[in-house]
Amino acid sequence: LHVRSRRQRQMCIRDRAKGSNEEAYLFQKLIRTAFRSNNVDHCTRLCHASSVAALMETIGSGAVTAPFTAAEDSDCIIVIGARPTENHPVAATFLKAAAKRGAKLILMDPRGYALTRHADHFLQFKPGTDVALLNAMMHTIVEEDLVDAQYITGYTEGYDALRDSLADFTPETMSAVCGVDAETIRTVARVYATSKRSIIFWGMGISQSVHGTDNARCLISLALMTGQVGRPGTGLHPLRGQNNVQGASDAGLIPMVFPDYQSVTDPAARARFEKLWEIEDLNPDPGLTVVEIMDAAREGDIRAMYVMGENPAMSDPDQHHARQGLAALDHLVVQEIFLTETAFHADVILPASAWPEKTGTVTNTNRQVQMGRPAFDPPGLAREDWSIIQDLANGLDLGWSYDGPKDVYEELRQAMNSIGGISWERLEREESVTYPCDDDGPGTEIMFATGFPTPSGRGKFVATELVAPDEIPDAAYPMVLSTGRMLEHWHTGAITRRATVLDALEPEAVASLHPREMKRLEIWPGDPIQVSTRRGTIEITARADRDVPEGMVFIPFCFAEAAANLLTNPQLDPIGKIPEFKFCAAKVERAERQAAE
């Protein structure tokens, strides 16, 4: 890791959210203390960074305000831009049970999916028009005086400006934009606002957009104006996917903040961590995000990279660009359990441990801190990740002396007020503990009953305007490409594609199209097709899927042999710095025709 550029020493690290809180904490501590850099990021940048940005801006916390189990107490549930039956199957069981009990289930998504069978309303809106739909709902709530005026007065600020901004967002006008009829928009707005207890769940369909932060701002405003937060059965829940996305974010794997979302630009926060880490002059400048890191590597400004468990050669947008960045590095260290597409580029591979082979804690989407215990020993030369990180730190003269994950966790408690009341011994005794909580007290599942951790103590309304996707379909690229996960394969497939049972269920890369779209293109299911964008072309097998709207092609990004992210747009949300994975202009052709031409 002692790598020096011809101009300056530059180092960055990337982590994933499948490891423990202790590993995440040590990982970011290493780069900030050894290299005095904040160029540290993880997979939330490709998932929910814009959601976190909006939540921090408006209510002062990036965590969910209620667990998904709160659906048990809800009268109305909105799910937008998420497919829980595929990506969050445990949460989906609670949503289906709530619908069976009689709760109103409202789904909003450009694509249909299994959960729509349980829904009272399914709003299949045009891709990229979330703000139009949500502002039209809020317009209805204001126009029909369905707001919770008492809650707005007591707990919020900025409502008048928001109300004025909604004047032009009538359902009739926005219907032409989003493709949902005006009366349906009004109906679901009334149901949400007038239900005693309403809750909103969202996923990467909301966040992975150049206006992802605006999408999340709309959802937060919808909850605040109706007082649907801070009570059982109410709240805001961006569904996290990997087992420790929440915990990795909490532990500081974000370039702008230390653990517990304390800004690196805040002198008091830097002083706190300089004292805790017994070091001087921590870097006060926010670091680069994952896509910016690849840009900098390609330009030669980043000369070395340390990647633990992340697979940017598959997960980053515009993969030609990302892989060029990896190839341009002077030195790449990859800590992994398999030889992934990223590890293929590495100069050094450090054999890591899988989750059943280690001790540590994770914090799930519900803010539940849980203990993991090893069921197997790591094979061969593989080691627990915290131990590898400590050896690297001591090779860089940091003098760390942790005896194990328990020691790291106790330091993490000093760094994070949110888990300060949760001891290691308690986690060994109990199944899980929800933060925040006092010493030995019950965890707090429903947050913000009496206000918000903002400077004013109030939730903040933020108005939004219509912003088009970065790439609009045209004559050359007339369709919309959207990407995502599938039930059988997780994320980039680094683990599940190696599971023979799962790979037998979905062994082949497929692109899903509506049957009428296939007929128009003279394509049959099983035909080889070529999908092209302005960044490249892949060959893939066509699959008929009535849940995909006409004019769209959907490709899972788990197949290395037809990598969807060779095609995706790296354009970023200006605030959340998250790429626009869900929308770019594309064209689809029969592979034989293309070859003949």
Side-chain angles (χ1 to χ4, degrees):
L1 291 180
H2 286 284
V3 178
R4 286 174 172 78
S5 158
R6 285 177 283 275
R7 289 168 292 177
Q8 59 180 329
R9 188 182 188 188
Q10 284 291 343
M11 178 71 185
C12 73
I13 59 175
R14 294 182 53 154
D15 191 19
R16 77 333 195 181
K18 295 191 290 292
S20 69
N21 289 319
E22 295 74 30
E23 293 160 1
Y25 174 74
L26 290 185
F27 204 64
Q28 60 86 37
K29 180 180 176 181
L30 172 70
I31 205 70
R32 287 181 161 128
T33 55
F35 296 93
R36 306 303 174 90
S37 169
N38 291 314
N39 292 341
V40 52
D41 210 354
H42 75 298
C43 65
T44 193
R45 183 67 46 200
L46 305 178
C47 301
H48 268 305
S50 50
S51 301
V52 171
L55 288 165
M56 291 295 295
E57 173 189 35
T58 56
I59 65 173
S61 169
V64 302
T65 73
F68 57 66
T69 54
E72 295 176 317
D73 300 316
S74 296
D75 302 303
C76 173
I77 300 166
I78 287 180
V79 181
I80 181 168
R83 300 168 67 85
T85 46
E86 295 180 6
N87 299 325
H88 314 278
V90 176
T93 62
F94 286 87
L95 303 182
K96 288 184 282 190
K100 186 176 181 180
R101 167 177 56 80
K104 297 294 184 182
L105 180 59
I106 300 169
L107 305 185
M108 306 177 183
D109 202 280
R111 289 194 296 143
Y113 57 105
L115 195 59
T116 57
R117 296 197 300 269
H118 302 266
D120 295 271
H121 301 279
F122 173 44
L123 281 61
Q124 191 167 13
F125 60 92
K126 295 178 182 177
T129 62
D130 313 68
V131 169
L133 173 61
L134 297 171
N135 275 355
M137 289 178 60
M138 287 191 282
H139 176 100
T140 299
I141 291 168
V142 171
E143 181 184 51
E144 299 184 8
D145 196 24
L146 302 178
V147 299
D148 187 334
Q150 184 176 0
Y151 186 87
I152 290 170
T153 300
Y155 294 99
T156 72
E157 60 185 1
Y159 173 70
D160 290 345
L162 176 80
R163 178 196 59 207
D164 295 345
S165 76
L166 297 172
D168 295 331
F169 287 91
T170 67
E172 288 72 22
T173 302
M174 293 301 105
S175 176
V177 177
C178 69
V180 179
D181 69 89
E183 189 52 38
T184 298
I185 295 174
R186 291 185 182 278
T187 297
V188 298
R190 293 169 189 144
V191 171
Y192 175 80
T194 60
S195 294
K196 185 176 180 180
R197 299 162 297 186
S198 296
I199 190 169
I200 301 174
F201 297 92
W202 72 91
M204 286 174 281
I206 284 290
S207 58
Q208 289 181 336
S209 164
V210 292
H211 49 82
T213 304
D214 279 348
N215 293 343
R217 285 166 169 166
C218 288
L219 296 173
I220 296 163
S221 292
L222 190 60
L224 292 178
M225 69 164 47
T226 55
Q228 298 286 13
V229 66
R231 296 177 286 113
T234 71
L236 297 156
H237 190 122
L239 286 159
R240 268 70 176 196
Q242 299 194 57
N243 62 310
N244 202 31
V245 168
Q246 184 65 59
S249 298
D250 295 344
L253 281 178
I254 300 177
M256 304 85 171
V257 294
F258 295 119
D260 244 5
Y261 307 97
Q262 300 168 80
S263 174
V264 299
T265 64
D266 181 3
R270 290 198 306 277
R272 175 180 181 178
F273 284 96
E274 286 169 353
K275 180 180 180 181
L276 178 63
W277 294 339
E278 299 179 347
I279 199 163
E280 297 180 352
D281 301 324
L282 287 174
N283 193 322
D285 300 320
L288 301 176
T289 63
V290 291
V291 176
E292 293 171 332
I293 284 170
M294 285 304 181
D295 291 340
R298 193 163 178 262
E299 296 299 320
D301 296 326
I302 293 289
R303 306 306 308 158
M305 191 179 300
Y306 175 23
V307 180
M308 186 174 86
E310 184 78 8
N311 192 11
M314 280 289 288
S315 61
D316 279 21
D318 190 3
Q319 283 178 14
H320 286 303
H321 184 102
R323 294 177 184 186
Q324 285 173 349
L326 293 173
L329 294 167
D330 287 343
H331 195 56
L332 173 61
V333 177
V334 174
Q335 191 164 315
E336 257 296 356
I337 61 174
F338 293 120
L339 186 65
T340 64
E341 290 77 16
T342 299
F344 176 81
H345 293 268
D347 298 285
V348 174
I349 300 174
L350 304 175
S353 52
W355 179 247
E357 300 162 356
K358 65 177 69 174
T359 300
T361 67
V362 295
T363 308
N364 72 5
T365 188
N366 287 342
R367 291 180 279 106
Q368 293 171 294
V369 185
Q370 303 171 84
M371 175 77 71
R373 298 171 177 84
F376 309 99
D377 293 327
L381 298 177
R383 297 165 54 190
E384 291 194 47
D385 294 76
W386 75 268
S387 175
I388 298 173
I389 299 168
Q390 175 158 276
D391 279 0
L392 293 175
N394 290 334
L396 294 164
D397 302 323
L398 292 182
W400 292 1
S401 57
Y402 303 106
D403 287 333
K406 179 180 178 180
D407 287 353
V408 182
Y409 180 80
E410 290 306 322
E411 182 175 309
L412 187 56
R413 289 178 66 199
Q414 297 178 56
M416 296 175 56
N417 295 336
S418 60
I419 64 169
I422 306 174
S423 69
W424 183 270
E425 288 74 18
R426 182 177 180 183
L427 292 174
E428 288 182 319
R429 295 194 310 268
E430 300 183 27
E431 182 176 325
S432 68
V433 182
T434 302
Y435 80 75
C437 74
D438 299 324
D439 289 338
D440 296 321
T444 306
E445 289 192 349
I446 309 299
M447 295 178 67
F448 312 133
T450 59
F452 300 95
T454 58
S456 65
R458 293 172 173 265
K460 179 182 179 182
F461 288 101
V462 179
T464 58
E465 296 294 336
L466 294 182
V467 176
D470 181 63
E471 273 188 9
I472 301 297
D474 54 21
Y477 297 94
M479 299 183 68
V480 172
L481 167 65
S482 186
T483 67
R485 298 170 180 150
M486 62 195 317
L487 176 63
E488 292 78 9
H489 291 304
W490 173 247
H491 208 56
T492 64
I495 296 175
T496 55
R497 294 293 310 279
R498 291 174 167 85
T500 54
V501 172
L502 294 175
D503 204 48
L505 292 173
E506 285 288 356
E508 185 177 22
V510 291
S512 297
L513 297 134
H514 193 282
R516 284 193 291 269
E517 194 70 53
M518 297 179 71
K519 183 177 180 180
R520 184 184 66 80
L521 295 169
E522 298 180 357
I523 293 169
W524 290 92
D527 280 352
I529 61 174
Q530 288 190 329
V531 181
S532 304
T533 70
R534 290 179 173 86
R535 286 151 295 280
T537 299
I538 62 172
E539 185 168 312
I540 194 167
T541 300
R543 171 177 287 179
D545 187 346
R546 294 184 182 277
D547 287 336
V548 178
E550 294 180 64
M552 175 186 282
V553 54
F554 173 78
I555 303 177
F557 63 90
C558 56
F559 295 102
E561 62 270 32
N565 281 327
L566 289 169
L567 309 178
T568 46
N569 188 357
Q571 189 66 31
L572 302 179
D573 177 301
I575 299 171
K577 300 291 184 71
I578 193 168
E580 188 154 57
F581 286 115
K582 299 302 183 190
F583 194 114
C584 70
K587 65 179 177 182
V588 176
E589 301 170 289
R590 286 176 58 95
E592 296 92 340
R593 178 187 302 164
Q594 184 74 4
E597 291 174 356

